[in-house]
Amino acid sequence: MLTVEEALSRLLERAQPLAGVEHVPTLDAGGRVLAAPLVSSIAVPPLANSQMDGYAVRCADVPAAGTRLRVSQRIAAGQIGQPLEAGTAARIFTGAPIPPGADAVVMQEAAAADGDWVTIHEVPKPGQWIRRPGLDIEAGSTVIEAGVRLRAPEVGLAASIGLASLPVKPRLRVAVFFTGDELVMPGEPLPPGRIYNSNRFMLRAALHELGCEAIDLGIVPDSLPATRAAFVRASQAADLIVNDLIDVRPVMKIRGGLDVVVQTANQFAQRGDCVLLSPACASFDMFRNFEERGEAFRAAVAALARGNG
């Protein structure tokens, strides 16, 4: 018998990239898998800017603490200031571009404003509280590699370099169905000897978390023809089949381990790109069982979605 780790390893060896590339709005790209590296065409930040609310100054104009300077301009974020006059300071706010001629920022806590004048209480150092251009991202650098599943930070990063749409891989199409004459849907009366179909809800939720397109074929009666028919329908519509059969060999008319199951599932489906997973856990301890084996299941589905072997 194969261990979970051995079965997972053999499955991942067969993971192939999904064909095609889709371009989706960056706002809708969360959970998708990036199809190509993202290269920034701009530097972030694009201009030197202030890290603090305070005063942009020339260090040469503040030789000692207590120096008093006239405030010659006010620069808010999104505004471009004028070249800084010698012997003056510019009132500046966080994120605002540094005016030409200034080489330091004194935070407002180290200064005292008095109308159009300000007293500087510390001697600044060149570059103090200034974020240089490209400090976060250099122009021409790769910010996200292909194959990465886009979470909130990656989506925000893509937006920060001005990308309105992103190239992503198609969603992994996963067919699910559930066998058993004993299964009843939640919300329906529960006759003696029957159980609610909790596997359906658990696996659908797991696939949703992984960004897959779930193709739900519902409950399949406990008969060999019905189960075979479900496999045919699933293989024609999906890249991956997930079901709750503990042993699929009677359905496939085969014997053997995972190698044979995968190969024969492809032949049975008359396709070469459909893979079968069977993370069955229909016992009372299903939630504990899924948590124990769930990492392997999630790793397998995620790898197939990324196309990483």
Side-chain angles (χ1 to χ4, degrees):
M1 172 178 285
L2 292 177
T3 65
V4 172
E5 291 73 20
E6 290 170 335
L8 178 60
S9 175
R10 295 192 187 185
L11 178 63
L12 298 188
E13 288 173 1
R14 291 165 173 78
Q16 298 295 325
L18 293 175
V21 176
E22 300 174 3
H23 290 268
V24 300
T26 303
L27 276 174
D28 301 325
R32 302 299 295 268
V33 175
L34 192 63
L38 296 188
V39 178
S40 179
S41 63
I42 64 170
V44 179
L47 300 172
N49 65 60
S50 178
Q51 287 183 290
M52 294 286 180
D53 291 349
Y55 296 87
V57 300
R58 299 173 188 265
C59 290
D61 291 336
V62 189
T67 298
R68 183 174 165 83
L69 301 173
R70 181 174 62 85
V71 179
S72 58
Q73 58 182 309
R74 181 182 186 276
I75 311 171
Q79 298 178 345
I80 300 295
Q82 299 299 315
L84 186 65
E85 300 174 28
T88 72
R91 181 69 165 114
I92 198 166
F93 296 89
T94 303
I98 301 297
D103 58 4
V105 171
V106 176
M107 72 171 80
Q108 61 188 14
E109 291 82 358
D114 181 15
D116 292 336
W117 293 80
V118 63
T119 301
I120 307 298
H121 294 311
E122 67 176 20
V123 177
K125 297 178 180 179
Q128 174 177 297
W129 300 123
I130 293 178
R131 299 173 69 239
R132 64 172 178 79
L135 178 64
D136 297 328
I137 300 171
E138 296 283 355
S141 63
T142 298
V143 296
I144 308 177
E145 297 288 352
V148 170
R149 184 174 299 281
L150 300 171
R151 306 164 302 154
E154 288 82 17
V155 172
L157 182 57
S160 76
I161 60 174
L163 298 179
S165 65
L166 300 178
V168 297
K169 294 185 178 181
R171 290 187 186 276
L172 186 70
R173 298 169 301 169
V174 183
V176 293
F177 62 87
F178 309 89
T179 57
D181 294 335
E182 77 280 8
L183 298 178
V184 176
M185 286 295 291
E188 298 177 359
L190 188 65
R194 308 287 287 275
I195 61 172
Y196 285 122
N197 186 8
S198 52
N199 271 0
R200 184 179 193 180
F201 291 80
M202 181 175 62
L203 291 177
R204 283 282 300 270
L207 293 173
H208 177 75
E209 290 174 359
L210 291 165
C212 299
E213 176 188 344
I215 301 171
D216 192 341
L217 302 181
I219 298 174
V220 176
D222 267 335
S223 75
L224 194 56
T227 305
R228 285 180 176 164
F231 270 106
V232 171
R233 291 170 56 205
S235 64
Q236 291 171 345
D239 307 298
L240 173 69
I241 303 171
V242 178
N243 72 94
D244 60 355
L245 285 174
I246 294 176
D247 189 355
V248 299
R249 287 176 293 180
V251 178
M252 300 301 182
K253 296 183 176 180
I254 61 172
R255 295 182 179 179
L258 180 65
D259 287 334
V260 182
V261 170
V262 173
Q263 293 167 8
T264 307
N266 292 338
Q267 296 166 5
F268 180 84
Q270 297 181 349
R271 290 181 55 184
D273 57 355
C274 191
V275 181
L276 172 64
L277 279 178
S278 185
C281 45
S283 70
F284 180 77
D285 289 330
M286 60 174 293
F287 300 108
R288 186 195 69 190
N289 292 342
F290 187 77
E291 283 305 308
E292 290 175 353
R293 293 186 288 178
E295 286 306 313
F297 169 75
R298 283 186 282 266
V301 175
L304 290 167
R306 292 193 306 269
N308 292 348

